[in-house]
C-alpha cells in the first residue's frame, strides 16, 4: 500500500514546487513537495479556515497538522505579538513549514514533528487550529480534539474545518461531548467551520 500524507517518513519521490497565494490580504509563497497534504495548491478547506479564524494579536496559537504551513503562517501574521506552534507527524511537511516560515519572514513560530499533540508536554494555548487529517481515520481525528481540549487554556478556542460529507456531523457531536460551547461559524462549498470554546 502506498503511503499517504499522514506518514512520518513519506517515501514519495521529491517533486518540489512553489505556490503563490494571497491569504488574509498578504502575498505569500510556499514550497510544497510530494508526500505532503495538498501539494499542488493550498487546500480549499484551509483557505476557508484562514479567512474565518479570529486570532487575538498576542495569542499563543497551535496549528495541528500544519502541513507545509499556510494556516500557521497566516496565524503568525495575525498575532504579531504572539507565538504559533506548528505540529505535523510528517517529517517532510515539518521541514517545508520551517522553510516557508523563513522565506515569508515569519519569526514568531516553532515547528515540531509530533504524533497528534504528544510533543507538547504541559503547554497551553489560547487558540488551536486544525484542518484534521481525515485520511488518518476518525480515531485520530477525535484524538486531536480530545488532546486539543487538554491543551487549551480556560476560555480558549478550537477552530476546525471539515467537509460535510467527510464527517461534519460526527465532528460536531464529538466536540459537543468535550466543550461547553460549540458553534458553526462559517460554511463554504461544503466545508464547515466549527469553533469550540473551553
Amino acid at each position: 500500500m502506498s503511503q499517504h500524507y499522514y506518514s512520518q517518513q513519506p517515501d514519495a519521490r521529491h517533486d518540489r514546487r512553489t505556490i503563490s497565494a494571497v491569504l488574509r490580504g498578504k502575498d505569500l509563497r510556499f514550497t510544497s513537495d510530494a508526500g505532503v497534504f495538498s501539494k499542488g495548491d493550498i487546500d480549499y478547506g484551509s483557505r476557508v479556515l484562514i479567512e474565518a479564524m479570529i486570532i487575538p494579536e498576542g495569542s499563543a496559537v497551535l496549528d495541528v497538522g500544519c502541513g507545509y504551513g499556510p494556516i500557521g503562517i497566516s496565524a503568525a501574521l495575525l498575532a504579531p505579538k504572539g507565538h504559533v506552534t506548528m505540529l505535523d507527524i510528517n517529517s517532510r511537511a515539518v521541514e517545508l513549514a520551517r522553510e516557508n516560515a523563513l522565506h515569508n519572514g515569519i519569526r514568531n513560530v516553532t515547528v515540531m514533528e509530533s504524533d497528534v499533540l504528544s510533543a507538547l508536554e504541559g503547554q497551553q494555548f489560547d487558540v488551536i487550529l486544525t484542518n484534521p487529517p481525515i485520511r488518518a481515520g476518525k480515531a485520530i481525528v477525535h484524538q486531536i480534539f480530545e488532546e486539543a481540549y487538554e491543551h487549551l487554556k480556560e476560555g480558549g478556542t478550537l477552530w476546525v474545518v471539515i467537509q460535510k460529507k467527510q464527517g461534519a456531523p460526527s465532528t460536531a457531536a464529538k466536540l459537543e461531548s468535550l466543550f461547553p460551547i460549540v458553534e458553526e461559524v462559517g460554511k463554504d462549498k461544503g466545508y464547515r467551520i466549527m469553533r469550540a470554546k473551553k
Side-chain angles (χ1 to χ4, degrees):
M1 178 181 149
S2 68
Q3 293 176 318
H4 54 71
Y5 62 82
Y6 196 79
S7 301
Q8 189 170 9
Q9 299 286 345
D11 57 12
R13 188 183 301 244
H14 286 285
D15 179 23
R16 289 167 64 92
R17 59 187 69 191
T18 302
I19 297 165
S20 297
V22 179
L23 301 173
R24 294 294 282 257
K26 301 283 187 184
D27 287 305
L28 299 171
R29 287 167 67 84
F30 299 93
T31 300
S32 82
D33 199 351
V36 301
F37 175 64
S38 196
K39 68 177 182 184
D41 197 7
I42 295 165
D43 163 68
Y44 196 78
S46 295
R47 289 177 181 270
V48 174
L49 176 57
I50 289 164
E51 292 306 318
M53 63 193 190
I54 298 169
I55 316 284
E57 67 172 25
S59 299
V61 182
L62 175 64
D63 174 10
V64 182
C66 66
Y68 51 80
I71 295 171
I73 286 170
S74 296
L77 286 165
L78 293 170
K81 296 178 183 173
H83 190 85
V84 179
T85 302
M86 299 162 63
L87 303 180
D88 207 292
I89 192 172
N90 182 322
S91 59
R92 190 174 290 182
V94 167
E95 288 171 21
L96 288 166
R98 286 186 182 131
E99 192 178 312
N100 288 328
L102 202 60
H103 285 171
N104 285 289
I106 308 299
R107 300 282 179 266
N108 56 329
V109 296
T110 303
V111 187
M112 302 166 66
E113 191 174 315
S114 180
D115 185 0
V116 194
L117 280 67
S118 61
L120 299 174
E121 288 184 32
Q123 293 184 54
Q124 297 269 291
F125 298 90
D126 301 298
V127 179
I128 299 180
L129 309 162
T130 189
N131 181 354
I134 298 303
R135 288 172 68 179
K138 187 185 281 188
I140 295 289
V141 172
H142 286 188
Q143 185 183 348
I144 289 171
F145 301 156
E146 290 162 5
E147 295 187 16
Y149 180 86
E150 296 300 321
H151 286 277
L152 268 177
K153 298 176 184 176
E154 286 298 324
T157 53
L158 168 65
W159 293 74
V160 180
V161 60
I162 195 120
Q163 273 187 290
K164 186 176 180 185
K165 67 183 182 189
Q166 289 187 328
S170 67
T171 291
K174 180 64 178 179
L175 292 174
E176 285 163 3
S177 77
L178 295 167
F179 291 86
I181 301 169
V182 179
E183 306 165 280
E184 184 178 287
V185 293
K187 56 184 175 182
D188 188 350
K189 293 188 180 174
Y191 287 92
R192 302 285 188 268
I193 303 291
M194 296 181 191
R195 180 177 62 195
K197 187 170 183 179
K198 185 169 178 179

